[in-house]
Amino acid sequence: MIYQRLLRPMLFALSSGDPETAHEWALRLLAWFDATPERRRFLARVAGALDLPKTPRCLFGLTFPTPVGLAAGFDKNAVAPRVFEALGFGFVEIGTVTPRPQPGNPRPRIVRLPPQALINRMGFPSEGADAVAVRLRANSGGLGIPLGVNIGKNKETSLIGAAADYRTAMQKLYERADYFVINVSSPNTPGLRSLQGKEELDWLLGEVAEENLVLAMDFGREPRPVLVKLSPDLSSHAMAEAVEVCVKHGIAGIIAANTTLARDGFSKTEEAGGGSGTPLRPRAAWAVSVLRRYAPSEMAIIGVGGIMCADDARAMREAGADLVQLYTGLIYRGPFLAVAVARGLVERPALAAGLQAAALPPAEKSPPTP
Ligand SMILES: Cc1cc2nc3c(=O)[nH]c(=O)nc-3n(C[C@H](O)[C@H](O)[C@H](O)COP(=O)(O)O)c2cc1C
């Protein structure tokens, strides 16, 4: 409440010219809390994470203490991975990390669409895999939750060179990643989403699987679980094909979904980029339900898109998600959202009957409009 009544209006007003400024301040503060165990413990106490009922779930060989994770893009360069555990998250996904550093698109590149949406055209600003690997070595010690590393290709890399980029990023970040996410669904890197096509994905995931085996041998460990992050703008046919290819290459799970290029439900805007937040929710839940229908039960589905409260997370789970992730909700609802959602899921795991019909996506061929 303090966040929504006091802190958010201040942050939004001070960064009205460029919302990314507020994000940078927030990350700086989070990095300060991240720096010592005492500060993290203090934050965990304030957030209510210390007495959060744990509901451990084992998926693709990893234990998730709560089903609520941090979505990629919030902490792209791993400046504060441990602080998210203190904030009650059950897993944290850093990135998207590109193999070489790149600046991303010109600012401003995040637009707020109140009450609960964003458009972003970040274009993978990244300090690069070498710098992120160094930082992870320094500041992921003591992290008690799974750490996902979301990787992508550099903007100037051609699509033919894309597999080499993903392989390079895996090599540099293998040591600390508990799982990798192959991001082929950001709408802000030209051509990237074409890697979701059946043949392209087959080629890319074949290369990734090969690299995973080589690195596992080098490091003397089991291959890392690899997940694929998909766009909510794919047809159900394209999703079925993607699942088929993922099964062929032993993919551990699918994350649905990245931001959307559709504008249904978003307030009228000419802004370019991918939309997230509440208007994305029905589309993301639809994607989860389609993927759940085609994916084998052992393939995990992570639902992300417009989760603002425990009921949204429940609906995502009932659409078929094993775990959920948050991003835009943190901007509008504040840093204690993960605790609220995780606690809400424990207290009432299923949706009330009356809410079910409204919240669950219909099993149709195209995404529903909100
Ligand atoms: C500003 C911003 C940056 C993002 N950057 C990334 C990214 O680098 N990699 C990625 O896979 N997803 C990225 N995403 C997408 C989120 O991880 C998530 O899939 C999407 O925003 C939907 O969830 P939400 O409605 O809870 O935000 C970004 C989203 C936002 C709003």
Side-chain angles (χ1 to χ4, degrees), residues 9 41 45 52 55-56 61 104 177 186 211 225 250 299 329 360:
R41 197 167 169 79
R45 191 170 318 119
L52 189 60
T55 50
S186 165
E211 189 62 48
M299 187 177 278
L360 283 176

Side-chain angles (χ1 to χ4, degrees), residues 71-73 76 96 120 150 183 229 257-258 276-277 280 304-306 327-328:
K76 286 176 183 285
T96 296
N120 92 81
N150 180 309
N183 183 2
K229 186 162 178 179
N258 216 314
S276 61
L280 171 61
V304 50
Y327 188 143
T328 305

